[in-house]
mmCIF file of all heavy atoms in Angstrom:
data_model
loop_
_atom_site.group_PDB
_atom_site.id
_atom_site.type_symbol
_atom_site.label_atom_id
_atom_site.label_comp_id
_atom_site.label_asym_id
_atom_site.label_seq_id
_atom_site.Cartn_x
_atom_site.Cartn_y
_atom_site.Cartn_z
ATOM 1 N N ARG B 109 87.297 -12.188 -82.308
ATOM 2 C CA ARG B 109 87.771 -13.048 -81.218
ATOM 3 C C ARG B 109 88.696 -14.121 -81.809
ATOM 4 O O ARG B 109 89.889 -13.929 -81.906
ATOM 5 C CB ARG B 109 86.588 -13.663 -80.446
ATOM 6 C CG ARG B 109 86.922 -14.122 -79.019
ATOM 7 C CD ARG B 109 87.699 -15.388 -78.898
ATOM 8 N NE ARG B 109 86.990 -16.580 -79.361
ATOM 9 C CZ ARG B 109 87.562 -17.791 -79.416
ATOM 10 N NH1 ARG B 109 88.811 -17.966 -79.038
ATOM 11 N NH2 ARG B 109 86.889 -18.830 -79.896
ATOM 12 N N ASP B 110 88.118 -15.226 -82.281
ATOM 13 C CA ASP B 110 88.958 -16.342 -82.698
ATOM 14 C C ASP B 110 89.828 -15.991 -83.910
ATOM 15 O O ASP B 110 90.977 -16.428 -83.999
ATOM 16 C CB ASP B 110 88.089 -17.558 -83.015
ATOM 17 C CG ASP B 110 88.807 -18.869 -82.760
ATOM 18 O OD1 ASP B 110 89.998 -18.832 -82.418
ATOM 19 O OD2 ASP B 110 88.177 -19.934 -82.907
ATOM 20 N N GLN B 113 92.707 -14.001 -82.765
ATOM 21 C CA GLN B 113 93.449 -14.839 -81.811
ATOM 22 C C GLN B 113 94.271 -15.881 -82.565
ATOM 23 O O GLN B 113 95.435 -16.135 -82.233
ATOM 24 C CB GLN B 113 92.464 -15.531 -80.859
ATOM 25 C CG GLN B 113 93.138 -16.494 -79.885
ATOM 26 C CD GLN B 113 92.149 -17.087 -78.880
ATOM 27 O OE1 GLN B 113 91.124 -16.501 -78.578
ATOM 28 N NE2 GLN B 113 92.456 -18.244 -78.359
ATOM 29 N N SER B 114 93.683 -16.464 -83.595
ATOM 30 C CA SER B 114 94.359 -17.540 -84.319
ATOM 31 C C SER B 114 95.487 -17.023 -85.209
ATOM 32 O O SER B 114 96.480 -17.716 -85.411
ATOM 33 C CB SER B 114 93.348 -18.299 -85.185
ATOM 34 O OG SER B 114 92.364 -18.895 -84.380
ATOM 35 N N GLU B 141 81.293 -12.798 -82.505
ATOM 36 C CA GLU B 141 82.046 -13.280 -81.350
ATOM 37 C C GLU B 141 83.125 -12.236 -81.064
ATOM 38 O O GLU B 141 83.963 -11.942 -81.917
ATOM 39 C CB GLU B 141 82.681 -14.644 -81.654
ATOM 40 C CG GLU B 141 83.266 -15.287 -80.419
ATOM 41 C CD GLU B 141 84.148 -16.489 -80.707
ATOM 42 O OE1 GLU B 141 84.873 -16.485 -81.724
ATOM 43 O OE2 GLU B 141 84.141 -17.424 -79.918
ATOM 44 N N LEU B 178 83.224 -16.463 -75.395
ATOM 45 C CA LEU B 178 83.609 -17.839 -75.090
ATOM 46 C C LEU B 178 84.087 -17.884 -73.643
ATOM 47 O O LEU B 178 84.933 -17.087 -73.239
ATOM 48 C CB LEU B 178 84.742 -18.272 -76.027
ATOM 49 C CG LEU B 178 85.279 -19.684 -75.826
ATOM 50 C CD1 LEU B 178 84.208 -20.717 -76.142
ATOM 51 C CD2 LEU B 178 86.504 -19.929 -76.707
ATOM 52 N N ARG B 211 79.010 -18.776 -74.798
ATOM 53 C CA ARG B 211 79.369 -20.140 -75.210
ATOM 54 C C ARG B 211 80.263 -20.690 -74.108
ATOM 55 O O ARG B 211 81.358 -20.167 -73.870
ATOM 56 C CB ARG B 211 80.104 -20.103 -76.549
ATOM 57 C CG ARG B 211 80.663 -21.449 -76.959
ATOM 58 C CD ARG B 211 81.362 -21.385 -78.304
ATOM 59 N NE ARG B 211 80.411 -21.148 -79.391
ATOM 60 C CZ ARG B 211 80.760 -21.002 -80.674
ATOM 61 N NH1 ARG B 211 82.037 -21.076 -81.013
ATOM 62 N NH2 ARG B 211 79.856 -20.793 -81.602
ATOM 63 N N LYS B 271 82.385 -27.959 -80.813
ATOM 64 C CA LYS B 271 83.584 -27.125 -80.836
ATOM 65 C C LYS B 271 84.763 -27.980 -81.278
ATOM 66 O O LYS B 271 85.356 -28.706 -80.479
ATOM 67 C CB LYS B 271 83.811 -26.554 -79.432
ATOM 68 C CG LYS B 271 84.984 -25.619 -79.294
ATOM 69 C CD LYS B 271 84.994 -25.061 -77.870
ATOM 70 C CE LYS B 271 86.353 -24.491 -77.480
ATOM 71 N NZ LYS B 271 86.827 -23.418 -78.332
ATOM 72 N N ASP B 272 85.069 -27.885 -82.568
ATOM 73 C CA ASP B 272 86.188 -28.648 -83.123
ATOM 74 C C ASP B 272 87.405 -27.733 -83.115
ATOM 75 O O ASP B 272 87.810 -27.191 -84.137
ATOM 76 C CB ASP B 272 85.812 -29.098 -84.549
ATOM 77 C CG ASP B 272 86.961 -29.775 -85.274
ATOM 78 O OD1 ASP B 272 87.852 -30.328 -84.607
ATOM 79 O OD2 ASP B 272 86.959 -29.743 -86.522
ATOM 80 N N MET B 273 87.979 -27.569 -81.929
ATOM 81 C CA MET B 273 89.030 -26.568 -81.749
ATOM 82 C C MET B 273 90.286 -26.897 -82.538
ATOM 83 O O MET B 273 91.060 -26.012 -82.884
ATOM 84 C CB MET B 273 89.351 -26.369 -80.260
ATOM 85 C CG MET B 273 89.719 -27.633 -79.509
ATOM 86 S SD MET B 273 88.223 -28.495 -78.971
ATOM 87 C CE MET B 273 88.877 -30.022 -78.344
ATOM 88 N N ALA B 274 90.507 -28.180 -82.845
ATOM 89 C CA ALA B 274 91.714 -28.561 -83.563
ATOM 90 C C ALA B 274 91.500 -28.569 -85.077
ATOM 91 O O ALA B 274 92.463 -28.598 -85.836
ATOM 92 C CB ALA B 274 92.182 -29.936 -83.097
ATOM 93 N N HIS B 300 81.708 -25.155 -84.933
ATOM 94 C CA HIS B 300 82.910 -24.322 -84.894
ATOM 95 C C HIS B 300 84.094 -25.182 -85.304
ATOM 96 O O HIS B 300 84.291 -26.271 -84.763
ATOM 97 C CB HIS B 300 83.113 -23.812 -83.458
ATOM 98 C CG HIS B 300 84.365 -23.015 -83.258
ATOM 99 N ND1 HIS B 300 84.404 -21.661 -83.457
ATOM 100 C CD2 HIS B 300 85.621 -23.364 -82.872
ATOM 101 C CE1 HIS B 300 85.634 -21.209 -83.197
ATOM 102 N NE2 HIS B 300 86.389 -22.228 -82.851
ATOM 103 N N THR B 301 84.869 -24.704 -86.284
ATOM 104 C CA THR B 301 86.066 -25.468 -86.647
ATOM 105 C C THR B 301 87.177 -24.515 -87.045
ATOM 106 O O THR B 301 87.023 -23.286 -86.969
ATOM 107 C CB THR B 301 85.764 -26.470 -87.791
ATOM 108 O OG1 THR B 301 86.884 -27.357 -87.942
ATOM 109 C CG2 THR B 301 85.531 -25.765 -89.123
ATOM 110 N N HIS B 302 88.317 -25.064 -87.432
ATOM 111 C CA HIS B 302 89.460 -24.251 -87.869
ATOM 112 C C HIS B 302 89.947 -24.759 -89.223
ATOM 113 O O HIS B 302 89.909 -25.962 -89.492
ATOM 114 C CB HIS B 302 90.580 -24.310 -86.823
ATOM 115 C CG HIS B 302 90.259 -23.505 -85.603
ATOM 116 N ND1 HIS B 302 90.767 -22.255 -85.362
ATOM 117 C CD2 HIS B 302 89.413 -23.756 -84.575
ATOM 118 C CE1 HIS B 302 90.271 -21.780 -84.236
ATOM 119 N NE2 HIS B 302 89.449 -22.668 -83.722
ATOM 120 N N ASP B 324 80.479 -20.977 -87.806
ATOM 121 C CA ASP B 324 81.409 -19.904 -87.449
ATOM 122 C C ASP B 324 82.359 -19.643 -88.615
ATOM 123 O O ASP B 324 83.058 -20.556 -89.066
ATOM 124 C CB ASP B 324 82.246 -20.319 -86.232
ATOM 125 C CG ASP B 324 81.423 -20.364 -84.956
ATOM 126 O OD1 ASP B 324 80.192 -20.225 -85.040
ATOM 127 O OD2 ASP B 324 82.023 -20.536 -83.878
ATOM 128 N N THR B 334 95.041 -21.157 -89.494
ATOM 129 C CA THR B 334 94.587 -21.589 -88.175
ATOM 130 C C THR B 334 93.288 -20.911 -87.747
ATOM 131 O O THR B 334 92.752 -21.199 -86.682
ATOM 132 C CB THR B 334 95.671 -21.326 -87.117
ATOM 133 O OG1 THR B 334 96.036 -19.945 -87.214
ATOM 134 C CG2 THR B 334 96.893 -22.166 -87.336
ATOM 135 N N GLN B 336 89.189 -19.455 -89.024
ATOM 136 C CA GLN B 336 88.028 -20.116 -89.636
ATOM 137 C C GLN B 336 88.027 -19.884 -91.159
ATOM 138 O O GLN B 336 88.720 -18.995 -91.652
ATOM 139 C CB GLN B 336 86.729 -19.529 -89.048
ATOM 140 C CG GLN B 336 86.304 -20.163 -87.731
ATOM 141 C CD GLN B 336 87.147 -19.721 -86.549
ATOM 142 O OE1 GLN B 336 87.400 -18.544 -86.347
ATOM 143 N NE2 GLN B 336 87.615 -20.678 -85.773
HETATM 144 CO CO1 LIG S 653 88.352 -21.853 -82.146
#
Side-chain angles (χ1 to χ4, degrees):
R109 202 285 295 175
D110 209 356
Q113 176 176 334
S114 298
E141 190 192 36
L178 179 65
R211 173 179 292 178
K271 182 176 161 59
D272 174 25
M273 55 276 172
H300 176 88
T301 191
H302 286 259
D324 290 8
T334 54
Q336 276 75 48

